[in-house]
Amino acid sequence: MVISTGFYRVAFPSFVNSSEPRCPVGYYSFQNRNYWYKVNCQMEQTYTFDDLDGLYETAENLPQVERHDVYGRNEELDEWKRVPWRDSLWTDTGELAGEVSTFEDFYNVIQYGEILDAVGRQLEHHHVEPEGRVSLSPNSHKMTAKIGLDDVIEPRDGDEVALQLHTRSGHSGYHGLTYSLGAERLVCSNGMTSFITEQSFEQTHSEPFKPQLAYHAVDSMINGADTVENRLKEAQEERLLNQDEALLVLHDLGLDRYLENPTADLVNALYTEVEDPENPSLYETYNAATYALTHLSTDVPEYVLDDGLDRAATLLDQENRVPDSAELGRNVVENRVQHLVDADNPDEEEYWEGETDSLRDLMEKHEIQA
């Protein structure tokens, strides 16, 4: 394995040449610049289960990794030497999953199966029969598990939300182990994740796996249904000025990078989720974000889509509270106005025809001076 400058990580997908297979594009960052290249087109792997026995079986079937040597090459001398401070991680299925520090003070391997097994043991303690799925990225360098907690809340009439525990980990050297509260709206299967900070937990790879943190995460989320319901009800009380402002908020979150036709898809999502276009709530705007990501994105791996859901979650959680919609809207409008002012060709930068006129109206309502 050749060690190169920069740091590799898989990012949001882009697509190169429509005639070619649609493959995620990776990038590495070096000196504050992103360099893009196509990675292999191997499909992500998905495991599903519908009860506790199925969860345990999935835990046993997930690939495990072992440490192996890393070598660097001098092309001019055609010479290879071992890099004593780095290890490569290989799965038992023969895939290279990551490249990490040799020293356990800096990196401990945490097997995906042991994470799932610990979660299962605590769910068993609560007599929960979970349904869910586990997704592995190509080469198994990232794992996402979404595990149902057998609990449904109803933040507004007819809008049922099934609570889930989401856990993520990786073997790339850049991803810690996280547990967070997730959910799925039953009316449309929109995914929801990481929208209450106090119900998110993280362990870095600098320490050996801590099953007690998994137990604590399960306890917290099973006992926290009232907190979730109250948070979603609070988000219904916060209102943006109109649907144009809601659209700007969604663009400001960076959701366009997950969509092929960003503005059209986001407008479609708002039309689906917002009851009154002149008075959209943060809850409706959040639901539009999750609808666009869950239903309108194309060929986006689940582990990448989760990054988008994390961005959307900031509409429900900033410093462990629902954001102030007036402050949020004003900041987004100011940011967008400044972007267009700085643009060489503002008309070409518009998200939609007439956006500049909409911004003038929003500036007046927010009493923003031109």
Side-chain angles (χ1 to χ4, degrees), residues 21-40:
R22 296 191 167 210
C23 307
V25 171
Y27 71 82
Y28 66 88
S29 297
F30 182 60
Q31 294 181 344
N32 297 319
R33 297 189 66 184
N34 293 332
Y35 297 86
W36 296 84
Y37 55 90
K38 283 195 287 185
V39 298
N40 70 52

Side-chain angles (χ1 to χ4, degrees), residues 327-348:
E327 181 181 352
L328 173 65
R330 181 185 178 90
N331 289 340
V332 167
V333 170
E334 287 179 333
N335 290 342
R336 184 60 180 158
V337 168
Q338 190 60 52
H339 175 82
L340 292 179
V341 167
D342 294 339
D344 293 333
N345 298 296
D347 291 343
E348 296 181 7

Side-chain angles (χ1 to χ4, degrees), residues 189-191 193 250 253-259 265-266 269 286-298 300-301 304-313:
S189 300
N190 286 12
T193 191
L250 295 181
L253 290 173
L255 302 187
D256 49 345
R257 68 190 63 191
Y258 306 96
L259 304 167
D265 289 341
L266 293 174
Y286 171 75
N287 287 339
T290 61
Y291 179 89
L293 293 168
T294 305
H295 298 287
L296 303 181
S297 59
T298 304
V300 182
V304 175
L305 207 58
D306 284 340
D307 295 334
L309 291 171
D310 283 344
R311 290 171 178 268

Side-chain angles (χ1 to χ4, degrees), residues 88-325:
S88 55
L89 299 181
W90 290 78
T91 69
D92 49 13
T93 57
E95 298 287 349
L96 174 62
E99 174 260 324
V100 300
S101 172
T102 298
F103 307 105
E104 292 188 353
D105 285 347
F106 296 101
Y107 193 89
N108 287 266
V109 173
I110 299 176
Q111 305 289 0
Y112 297 152
E114 63 183 348
I115 299 169
L116 210 60
D117 186 76
V119 169
R121 287 199 297 272
Q122 198 64 7
L123 290 174
E124 187 172 1
H125 174 76
H126 287 280
H127 306 290
V128 172
E129 287 289 338
E131 295 183 4
R133 68 183 182 275
V134 178
S135 298
L136 298 182
S137 65
N139 302 331
S140 302
H141 78 283
K142 288 187 75 173
M143 180 275 292
T144 299
K146 298 182 178 180
I147 304 166
L149 298 177
D150 199 22
D151 194 1
V152 175
I153 61 173
E154 193 171 2
R156 63 181 180 185
D157 290 344
D159 191 3
E160 293 186 330
V161 176
L163 298 185
Q164 299 174 333
L165 182 153
H166 291 181
T167 181
R168 282 183 266 180
S169 188
H171 297 311
S172 65
Y174 303 106
H175 307 100
L177 165 59
T178 63
Y179 306 92
S180 61
L181 180 69
E184 183 175 279
R185 292 180 68 217
L186 299 184
V187 67
C188 59
S189 300
N190 286 12
M192 306 165 68
T193 191
S194 302
F195 53 87
I196 297 186
T197 300
E198 66 183 13
Q199 287 180 289
S200 296
F201 308 90
E202 182 173 5
Q203 177 189 339
T204 69
H205 285 273
S206 62
E207 298 177 301
F209 175 59
K210 294 181 175 180
Q212 61 269 28
L213 184 63
Y215 306 155
H216 178 61
V218 172
D219 292 344
S220 173
M221 293 170 201
I222 285 180
N223 296 326
D226 289 343
T227 301
V228 178
E229 191 165 0
N230 290 335
R231 175 64 61 86
L232 298 182
K233 287 180 177 179
E234 289 173 16
Q236 294 174 49
E237 302 302 317
E238 291 290 336
R239 299 279 172 169
L240 296 169
L241 292 178
N242 56 35
Q243 190 160 296
D244 285 348
E245 185 171 73
L247 180 56
L248 290 171
V249 165
L250 295 181
H251 270 294
D252 193 67
L253 290 173
L255 302 187
D256 49 345
R257 68 190 63 191
Y258 306 96
L259 304 167
E260 288 196 59
N261 301 294
T263 299
D265 289 341
L266 293 174
V267 168
N268 186 10
L270 287 166
Y271 179 81
T272 301
E273 296 291 350
V274 173
E275 186 174 318
D276 180 1
E278 296 304 315
N279 197 28
S281 70
L282 280 188
Y283 181 63
E284 290 172 323
T285 305
Y286 171 75
N287 287 339
T290 61
Y291 179 89
L293 293 168
T294 305
H295 298 287
L296 303 181
S297 59
T298 304
D299 297 332
V300 182
E302 185 166 5
Y303 69 94
V304 175
L305 207 58
D306 284 340
D307 295 334
L309 291 171
D310 283 344
R311 290 171 178 268
T314 60
L315 293 177
L316 299 182
D317 188 289
Q318 288 184 6
E319 298 179 351
N320 204 35
R321 63 178 178 83
V322 175
D324 180 278
S325 55

